[in-house]
PDB file of all heavy atoms in Angstrom:
ATOM      1  N   ALA A   1       3.681   1.660   2.983  1.00  0.00           N
ATOM      2  CA  ALA A   1       4.269   2.215   1.757  1.00  0.00           C
ATOM      3  C   ALA A   1       3.423   1.857   0.537  1.00  0.00           C
ATOM      4  O   ALA A   1       3.220   2.697  -0.350  1.00  0.00           O
ATOM      5  CB  ALA A   1       5.695   1.691   1.587  1.00  0.00           C
ATOM      6  N   VAL A   2       2.917   0.631   0.494  1.00  0.00           N
ATOM      7  CA  VAL A   2       2.054   0.227  -0.618  1.00  0.00           C
ATOM      8  C   VAL A   2       0.761   1.034  -0.601  1.00  0.00           C
ATOM      9  O   VAL A   2       0.266   1.475  -1.650  1.00  0.00           O
ATOM     10  CB  VAL A   2       1.768  -1.291  -0.562  1.00  0.00           C
ATOM     11  CG1 VAL A   2       0.703  -1.676  -1.581  1.00  0.00           C
ATOM     12  CG2 VAL A   2       3.051  -2.081  -0.807  1.00  0.00           C
ATOM     13  N   ARG A   3       0.205   1.235   0.606  1.00  0.00           N
ATOM     14  CA  ARG A   3      -1.021   2.045   0.708  1.00  0.00           C
ATOM     15  C   ARG A   3      -0.782   3.460   0.183  1.00  0.00           C
ATOM     16  O   ARG A   3      -1.591   3.999  -0.574  1.00  0.00           O
ATOM     17  CB  ARG A   3      -1.489   2.106   2.163  1.00  0.00           C
ATOM     18  CG  ARG A   3      -2.820   2.857   2.342  1.00  0.00           C
ATOM     19  CD  ARG A   3      -3.128   3.117   3.802  1.00  0.00           C
ATOM     20  NE  ARG A   3      -2.256   4.132   4.370  1.00  0.00           N
ATOM     21  CZ  ARG A   3      -2.447   5.450   4.227  1.00  0.00           C
ATOM     22  NH1 ARG A   3      -3.451   5.902   3.488  1.00  0.00           N
ATOM     23  NH2 ARG A   3      -1.619   6.299   4.790  1.00  0.00           N
ATOM     24  N   LEU A   4       0.338   4.058   0.574  1.00  0.00           N
ATOM     25  CA  LEU A   4       0.657   5.399   0.112  1.00  0.00           C
ATOM     26  C   LEU A   4       0.875   5.425  -1.403  1.00  0.00           C
ATOM     27  O   LEU A   4       0.499   6.393  -2.076  1.00  0.00           O
ATOM     28  CB  LEU A   4       1.908   5.916   0.827  1.00  0.00           C
ATOM     29  CG  LEU A   4       1.738   6.312   2.297  1.00  0.00           C
ATOM     30  CD1 LEU A   4       3.093   6.639   2.917  1.00  0.00           C
ATOM     31  CD2 LEU A   4       0.794   7.503   2.433  1.00  0.00           C
ATOM     32  N   SER A   5       1.479   4.359  -1.937  1.00  0.00           N
ATOM     33  CA  SER A   5       1.727   4.321  -3.383  1.00  0.00           C
ATOM     34  C   SER A   5       0.415   4.256  -4.155  1.00  0.00           C
ATOM     35  O   SER A   5       0.274   4.890  -5.208  1.00  0.00           O
ATOM     36  CB  SER A   5       2.623   3.135  -3.746  1.00  0.00           C
ATOM     37  OG  SER A   5       1.931   1.908  -3.641  1.00  0.00           O
ATOM     38  N   PHE A   6      -0.565   3.517  -3.636  1.00  0.00           N
ATOM     39  CA  PHE A   6      -1.862   3.444  -4.310  1.00  0.00           C
ATOM     40  C   PHE A   6      -2.576   4.796  -4.248  1.00  0.00           C
ATOM     41  O   PHE A   6      -3.214   5.209  -5.220  1.00  0.00           O
ATOM     42  CB  PHE A   6      -2.734   2.346  -3.693  1.00  0.00           C
ATOM     43  CG  PHE A   6      -2.517   0.996  -4.300  1.00  0.00           C
ATOM     44  CD1 PHE A   6      -1.555   0.138  -3.801  1.00  0.00           C
ATOM     45  CD2 PHE A   6      -3.263   0.582  -5.386  1.00  0.00           C
ATOM     46  CE1 PHE A   6      -1.337  -1.108  -4.372  1.00  0.00           C
ATOM     47  CE2 PHE A   6      -3.061  -0.661  -5.969  1.00  0.00           C
ATOM     48  CZ  PHE A   6      -2.099  -1.514  -5.458  1.00  0.00           C
ATOM     49  N   ARG A   7      -2.461   5.473  -3.123  1.00  0.00           N
ATOM     50  CA  ARG A   7      -3.070   6.802  -3.042  1.00  0.00           C
ATOM     51  C   ARG A   7      -2.373   7.776  -3.983  1.00  0.00           C
ATOM     52  O   ARG A   7      -3.015   8.612  -4.623  1.00  0.00           O
ATOM     53  CB  ARG A   7      -3.006   7.335  -1.609  1.00  0.00           C
ATOM     54  CG  ARG A   7      -3.988   8.491  -1.368  1.00  0.00           C
ATOM     55  CD  ARG A   7      -3.773   9.142  -0.038  1.00  0.00           C
ATOM     56  NE  ARG A   7      -2.522   9.897  -0.024  1.00  0.00           N
ATOM     57  CZ  ARG A   7      -2.029  10.483   1.056  1.00  0.00           C
ATOM     58  NH1 ARG A   7      -2.645  10.358   2.200  1.00  0.00           N
ATOM     59  NH2 ARG A   7      -0.905  11.155   0.992  1.00  0.00           N
ATOM     60  N   GLU A   8      -1.048   7.654  -4.079  1.00  0.00           N
ATOM     61  CA  GLU A   8      -0.282   8.511  -4.986  1.00  0.00           C
ATOM     62  C   GLU A   8      -0.666   8.251  -6.441  1.00  0.00           C
ATOM     63  O   GLU A   8      -0.814   9.193  -7.227  1.00  0.00           O
ATOM     64  CB  GLU A   8       1.218   8.261  -4.787  1.00  0.00           C
ATOM     65  CG  GLU A   8       2.113   9.204  -5.548  1.00  0.00           C
ATOM     66  CD  GLU A   8       2.290  10.535  -4.848  1.00  0.00           C
ATOM     67  OE1 GLU A   8       1.679  10.753  -3.785  1.00  0.00           O
ATOM     68  OE2 GLU A   8       3.034  11.370  -5.382  1.00  0.00           O
ATOM     69  N   THR A   9      -0.825   6.980  -6.801  1.00  0.00           N
ATOM     70  CA  THR A   9      -1.208   6.659  -8.177  1.00  0.00           C
ATOM     71  C   THR A   9      -2.568   7.248  -8.519  1.00  0.00           C
ATOM     72  O   THR A   9      -2.773   7.783  -9.616  1.00  0.00           O
ATOM     73  CB  THR A   9      -1.240   5.139  -8.409  1.00  0.00           C
ATOM     74  OG1 THR A   9      -2.130   4.524  -7.476  1.00  0.00           O
ATOM     75  CG2 THR A   9       0.128   4.532  -8.251  1.00  0.00           C
ATOM     76  N   TRP A  10      -3.498   7.179  -7.585  1.00  0.00           N
ATOM     77  CA  TRP A  10      -4.830   7.746  -7.816  1.00  0.00           C
ATOM     78  C   TRP A  10      -4.732   9.254  -8.022  1.00  0.00           C
ATOM     79  O   TRP A  10      -5.321   9.808  -8.963  1.00  0.00           O
ATOM     80  CB  TRP A  10      -5.755   7.419  -6.655  1.00  0.00           C
ATOM     81  CG  TRP A  10      -7.100   8.090  -6.753  1.00  0.00           C
ATOM     82  CD1 TRP A  10      -7.549   9.168  -6.045  1.00  0.00           C
ATOM     83  CD2 TRP A  10      -8.164   7.723  -7.624  1.00  0.00           C
ATOM     84  NE1 TRP A  10      -8.825   9.504  -6.422  1.00  0.00           N
ATOM     85  CE2 TRP A  10      -9.232   8.630  -7.393  1.00  0.00           C
ATOM     86  CE3 TRP A  10      -8.326   6.728  -8.591  1.00  0.00           C
ATOM     87  CZ2 TRP A  10     -10.440   8.564  -8.089  1.00  0.00           C
ATOM     88  CZ3 TRP A  10      -9.538   6.667  -9.291  1.00  0.00           C
ATOM     89  CH2 TRP A  10     -10.562   7.579  -9.032  1.00  0.00           C
ATOM     90  N   THR A  11      -3.970   9.928  -7.168  1.00  0.00           N
ATOM     91  CA  THR A  11      -3.813  11.382  -7.271  1.00  0.00           C
ATOM     92  C   THR A  11      -3.216  11.771  -8.617  1.00  0.00           C
ATOM     93  O   THR A  11      -3.728  12.670  -9.302  1.00  0.00           O
ATOM     94  CB  THR A  11      -2.917  11.915  -6.141  1.00  0.00           C
ATOM     95  OG1 THR A  11      -3.514  11.605  -4.876  1.00  0.00           O
ATOM     96  CG2 THR A  11      -2.734  13.424  -6.247  1.00  0.00           C
ATOM     97  N   VAL A  12      -2.141  11.099  -9.012  1.00  0.00           N
ATOM     98  CA  VAL A  12      -1.443  11.450 -10.255  1.00  0.00           C
ATOM     99  C   VAL A  12      -2.312  11.148 -11.469  1.00  0.00           C
ATOM    100  O   VAL A  12      -2.396  11.955 -12.404  1.00  0.00           O
ATOM    101  CB  VAL A  12      -0.104  10.695 -10.350  1.00  0.00           C
ATOM    102  CG1 VAL A  12       0.540  10.908 -11.721  1.00  0.00           C
ATOM    103  CG2 VAL A  12       0.839  11.147  -9.250  1.00  0.00           C
ATOM    104  N   MET A  13      -2.995  10.008 -11.467  1.00  0.00           N
ATOM    105  CA  MET A  13      -3.803   9.637 -12.622  1.00  0.00           C
ATOM    106  C   MET A  13      -5.011  10.555 -12.781  1.00  0.00           C
ATOM    107  O   MET A  13      -5.373  10.929 -13.902  1.00  0.00           O
ATOM    108  CB  MET A  13      -4.226   8.168 -12.526  1.00  0.00           C
ATOM    109  CG  MET A  13      -3.046   7.212 -12.645  1.00  0.00           C
ATOM    110  SD  MET A  13      -3.469   5.459 -12.557  1.00  0.00           S
ATOM    111  CE  MET A  13      -4.154   5.175 -14.192  1.00  0.00           C
ATOM    112  N   VAL A  14      -5.626  10.950 -11.676  1.00  0.00           N
ATOM    113  CA  VAL A  14      -6.742  11.904 -11.754  1.00  0.00           C
ATOM    114  C   VAL A  14      -6.256  13.239 -12.298  1.00  0.00           C
ATOM    115  O   VAL A  14      -6.900  13.858 -13.158  1.00  0.00           O
ATOM    116  CB  VAL A  14      -7.395  12.091 -10.362  1.00  0.00           C
ATOM    117  CG1 VAL A  14      -8.337  13.295 -10.366  1.00  0.00           C
ATOM    118  CG2 VAL A  14      -8.163  10.832  -9.965  1.00  0.00           C
ATOM    119  N   GLN A  15      -5.101  13.705 -11.808  1.00  0.00           N
ATOM    120  CA  GLN A  15      -4.538  14.959 -12.300  1.00  0.00           C
ATOM    121  C   GLN A  15      -4.209  14.866 -13.791  1.00  0.00           C
ATOM    122  O   GLN A  15      -4.401  15.831 -14.536  1.00  0.00           O
ATOM    123  CB  GLN A  15      -3.268  15.306 -11.512  1.00  0.00           C
ATOM    124  CG  GLN A  15      -3.514  15.672 -10.055  1.00  0.00           C
ATOM    125  CD  GLN A  15      -4.251  17.002  -9.914  1.00  0.00           C
ATOM    126  OE1 GLN A  15      -3.802  18.024 -10.399  1.00  0.00           O
ATOM    127  NE2 GLN A  15      -5.388  16.967  -9.262  1.00  0.00           N
ATOM    128  N   THR A  16      -3.720  13.705 -14.231  1.00  0.00           N
ATOM    129  CA  THR A  16      -3.386  13.521 -15.642  1.00  0.00           C
ATOM    130  C   THR A  16      -4.634  13.580 -16.513  1.00  0.00           C
ATOM    131  O   THR A  16      -4.649  14.246 -17.556  1.00  0.00           O
ATOM    132  CB  THR A  16      -2.677  12.169 -15.855  1.00  0.00           C
ATOM    133  OG1 THR A  16      -1.471  12.136 -15.082  1.00  0.00           O
ATOM    134  CG2 THR A  16      -2.339  11.959 -17.320  1.00  0.00           C
ATOM    135  N   VAL A  17      -5.687  12.902 -16.097  1.00  0.00           N
ATOM    136  CA  VAL A  17      -6.932  12.901 -16.867  1.00  0.00           C
ATOM    137  C   VAL A  17      -7.538  14.307 -16.908  1.00  0.00           C
ATOM    138  O   VAL A  17      -7.993  14.766 -17.966  1.00  0.00           O
ATOM    139  CB  VAL A  17      -7.936  11.890 -16.268  1.00  0.00           C
ATOM    140  CG1 VAL A  17      -9.298  12.026 -16.928  1.00  0.00           C
ATOM    141  CG2 VAL A  17      -7.416  10.464 -16.428  1.00  0.00           C
ATOM    142  N   GLN A  18      -7.516  14.995 -15.785  1.00  0.00           N
ATOM    143  CA  GLN A  18      -8.025  16.370 -15.759  1.00  0.00           C
ATOM    144  C   GLN A  18      -7.192  17.269 -16.671  1.00  0.00           C
ATOM    145  O   GLN A  18      -7.733  18.123 -17.380  1.00  0.00           O
ATOM    146  CB  GLN A  18      -8.020  16.905 -14.334  1.00  0.00           C
ATOM    147  CG  GLN A  18      -9.057  16.249 -13.434  1.00  0.00           C
ATOM    148  CD  GLN A  18      -8.963  16.733 -11.993  1.00  0.00           C
ATOM    149  OE1 GLN A  18      -7.983  17.352 -11.581  1.00  0.00           O
ATOM    150  NE2 GLN A  18     -10.001  16.450 -11.210  1.00  0.00           N
ATOM    151  N   GLY A  19      -5.867  17.069 -16.661  1.00  0.00           N
ATOM    152  CA  GLY A  19      -4.994  17.850 -17.530  1.00  0.00           C
ATOM    153  C   GLY A  19      -5.270  17.590 -19.000  1.00  0.00           C
ATOM    154  O   GLY A  19      -5.266  18.522 -19.815  1.00  0.00           O
ATOM    155  N   ALA A  20      -5.529  16.320 -19.355  1.00  0.00           N
ATOM    156  CA  ALA A  20      -5.850  15.980 -20.739  1.00  0.00           C
ATOM    157  C   ALA A  20      -7.151  16.648 -21.170  1.00  0.00           C
ATOM    158  O   ALA A  20      -7.265  17.153 -22.296  1.00  0.00           O
ATOM    159  CB  ALA A  20      -5.950  14.463 -20.899  1.00  0.00           C
ATOM    160  N   GLY A  21      -8.127  16.671 -20.261  1.00  0.00           N
ATOM    161  CA  GLY A  21      -9.396  17.337 -20.564  1.00  0.00           C
ATOM    162  C   GLY A  21      -9.208  18.836 -20.763  1.00  0.00           C
ATOM    163  O   GLY A  21      -9.773  19.430 -21.703  1.00  0.00           O
ATOM    164  N   LYS A  22      -8.397  19.459 -19.901  1.00  0.00           N
ATOM    165  CA  LYS A  22      -8.128  20.891 -20.030  1.00  0.00           C
ATOM    166  C   LYS A  22      -7.399  21.193 -21.333  1.00  0.00           C
ATOM    167  O   LYS A  22      -7.678  22.193 -22.003  1.00  0.00           O
ATOM    168  CB  LYS A  22      -7.292  21.372 -18.839  1.00  0.00           C
ATOM    169  CG  LYS A  22      -8.042  21.436 -17.522  1.00  0.00           C
ATOM    170  CD  LYS A  22      -7.120  21.895 -16.401  1.00  0.00           C
ATOM    171  CE  LYS A  22      -7.835  21.896 -15.055  1.00  0.00           C
ATOM    172  NZ  LYS A  22      -6.914  22.276 -13.951  1.00  0.00           N
ATOM    173  N   LEU A  23      -6.447  20.328 -21.702  1.00  0.00           N
ATOM    174  CA  LEU A  23      -5.699  20.529 -22.936  1.00  0.00           C
ATOM    175  C   LEU A  23      -6.633  20.486 -24.142  1.00  0.00           C
ATOM    176  O   LEU A  23      -6.592  21.379 -25.004  1.00  0.00           O
ATOM    177  CB  LEU A  23      -4.624  19.448 -23.077  1.00  0.00           C
ATOM    178  CG  LEU A  23      -3.883  19.405 -24.423  1.00  0.00           C
ATOM    179  CD1 LEU A  23      -3.121  20.691 -24.662  1.00  0.00           C
ATOM    180  CD2 LEU A  23      -2.962  18.195 -24.481  1.00  0.00           C
ATOM    181  N   PHE A  24      -7.478  19.480 -24.199  1.00  0.00           N
ATOM    182  CA  PHE A  24      -8.365  19.312 -25.348  1.00  0.00           C
ATOM    183  C   PHE A  24      -9.321  20.495 -25.474  1.00  0.00           C
ATOM    184  O   PHE A  24      -9.480  21.076 -26.553  1.00  0.00           O
ATOM    185  CB  PHE A  24      -9.142  18.001 -25.210  1.00  0.00           C
ATOM    186  CG  PHE A  24      -9.926  17.637 -26.425  1.00  0.00           C
ATOM    187  CD1 PHE A  24      -9.317  16.996 -27.502  1.00  0.00           C
ATOM    188  CD2 PHE A  24     -11.275  17.932 -26.511  1.00  0.00           C
ATOM    189  CE1 PHE A  24     -10.042  16.663 -28.635  1.00  0.00           C
ATOM    190  CE2 PHE A  24     -12.014  17.608 -27.644  1.00  0.00           C
ATOM    191  CZ  PHE A  24     -11.396  16.967 -28.709  1.00  0.00           C
ATOM    192  N   THR A  25      -9.975  20.860 -24.381  1.00  0.00           N
ATOM    193  CA  THR A  25     -10.955  21.946 -24.432  1.00  0.00           C
ATOM    194  C   THR A  25     -10.297  23.298 -24.672  1.00  0.00           C
ATOM    195  O   THR A  25     -10.830  24.139 -25.391  1.00  0.00           O
ATOM    196  CB  THR A  25     -11.778  21.996 -23.136  1.00  0.00           C
ATOM    197  OG1 THR A  25     -10.891  22.102 -22.006  1.00  0.00           O
ATOM    198  CG2 THR A  25     -12.628  20.746 -22.983  1.00  0.00           C
ATOM    199  N   SER A  26      -9.109  23.503 -24.087  1.00  0.00           N
ATOM    200  CA  SER A  26      -8.434  24.788 -24.249  1.00  0.00           C
ATOM    201  C   SER A  26      -7.951  24.976 -25.688  1.00  0.00           C
ATOM    202  O   SER A  26      -8.107  26.063 -26.267  1.00  0.00           O
ATOM    203  CB  SER A  26      -7.251  24.889 -23.284  1.00  0.00           C
ATOM    204  OG  SER A  26      -6.598  26.134 -23.398  1.00  0.00           O
ATOM    205  N   VAL A  27      -7.356  23.921 -26.267  1.00  0.00           N
ATOM    206  CA  VAL A  27      -6.895  24.020 -27.652  1.00  0.00           C
ATOM    207  C   VAL A  27      -8.079  24.179 -28.599  1.00  0.00           C
ATOM    208  O   VAL A  27      -8.042  24.964 -29.550  1.00  0.00           O
ATOM    209  CB  VAL A  27      -6.056  22.777 -28.029  1.00  0.00           C
ATOM    210  CG1 VAL A  27      -5.777  22.753 -29.526  1.00  0.00           C
ATOM    211  CG2 VAL A  27      -4.746  22.775 -27.255  1.00  0.00           C
ATOM    212  N   LEU A  28      -9.156  23.442 -28.328  1.00  0.00           N
ATOM    213  CA  LEU A  28     -10.331  23.471 -29.212  1.00  0.00           C
ATOM    214  C   LEU A  28     -11.080  24.797 -29.126  1.00  0.00           C
ATOM    215  O   LEU A  28     -11.488  25.363 -30.151  1.00  0.00           O
ATOM    216  CB  LEU A  28     -11.264  22.313 -28.861  1.00  0.00           C
ATOM    217  CG  LEU A  28     -12.468  22.091 -29.783  1.00  0.00           C
ATOM    218  CD1 LEU A  28     -11.996  21.675 -31.171  1.00  0.00           C
ATOM    219  CD2 LEU A  28     -13.394  21.031 -29.201  1.00  0.00           C
ATOM    220  N   LEU A  29     -11.259  25.298 -27.903  1.00  0.00           N
ATOM    221  CA  LEU A  29     -12.097  26.486 -27.714  1.00  0.00           C
ATOM    222  C   LEU A  29     -11.311  27.790 -27.713  1.00  0.00           C
ATOM    223  O   LEU A  29     -11.830  28.832 -28.136  1.00  0.00           O
ATOM    224  CB  LEU A  29     -12.888  26.364 -26.397  1.00  0.00           C
ATOM    225  CG  LEU A  29     -13.818  25.149 -26.281  1.00  0.00           C
ATOM    226  CD1 LEU A  29     -14.487  25.120 -24.917  1.00  0.00           C
ATOM    227  CD2 LEU A  29     -14.866  25.165 -27.398  1.00  0.00           C
ATOM    228  N   GLN A  30     -10.059  27.750 -27.220  1.00  0.00           N
ATOM    229  CA  GLN A  30      -9.290  28.987 -27.079  1.00  0.00           C
ATOM    230  C   GLN A  30      -8.041  29.026 -27.958  1.00  0.00           C
ATOM    231  O   GLN A  30      -7.404  30.072 -28.086  1.00  0.00           O
ATOM    232  CB  GLN A  30      -8.882  29.177 -25.612  1.00  0.00           C
ATOM    233  CG  GLN A  30     -10.075  29.240 -24.662  1.00  0.00           C
ATOM    234  CD  GLN A  30      -9.639  29.292 -23.202  1.00  0.00           C
ATOM    235  OE1 GLN A  30      -8.477  29.539 -22.896  1.00  0.00           O
ATOM    236  NE2 GLN A  30     -10.582  29.061 -22.301  1.00  0.00           N
ATOM    237  N   GLY A  31      -7.680  27.891 -28.551  1.00  0.00           N
ATOM    238  CA  GLY A  31      -6.530  27.856 -29.427  1.00  0.00           C
ATOM    239  C   GLY A  31      -5.198  28.004 -28.724  1.00  0.00           C
ATOM    240  O   GLY A  31      -4.221  28.464 -29.330  1.00  0.00           O
TER     241      GLY A  31
END
């Protein structure tokens, strides 16, 4: 369960960082 939780945290945090990057570039470039 701990192993799965660490994999889940990695998945969610990567998705969050990618989402933040998409938000910044989309608002800046496409409004």
Side-chain angles (χ1 to χ4, degrees):
V2 171
R3 184 190 72 81
L4 287 173
S5 72
F6 273 89
R7 198 189 70 186
E8 187 81 358
T9 57
W10 174 255
T11 300
V12 172
M13 293 181 76
V14 167
Q15 292 292 303
T16 300
V17 172
Q18 290 176 346
K22 288 179 183 177
L23 172 62
F24 188 82
T25 55
S26 181
V27 170
L28 187 66
L29 301 178
Q30 301 174 14

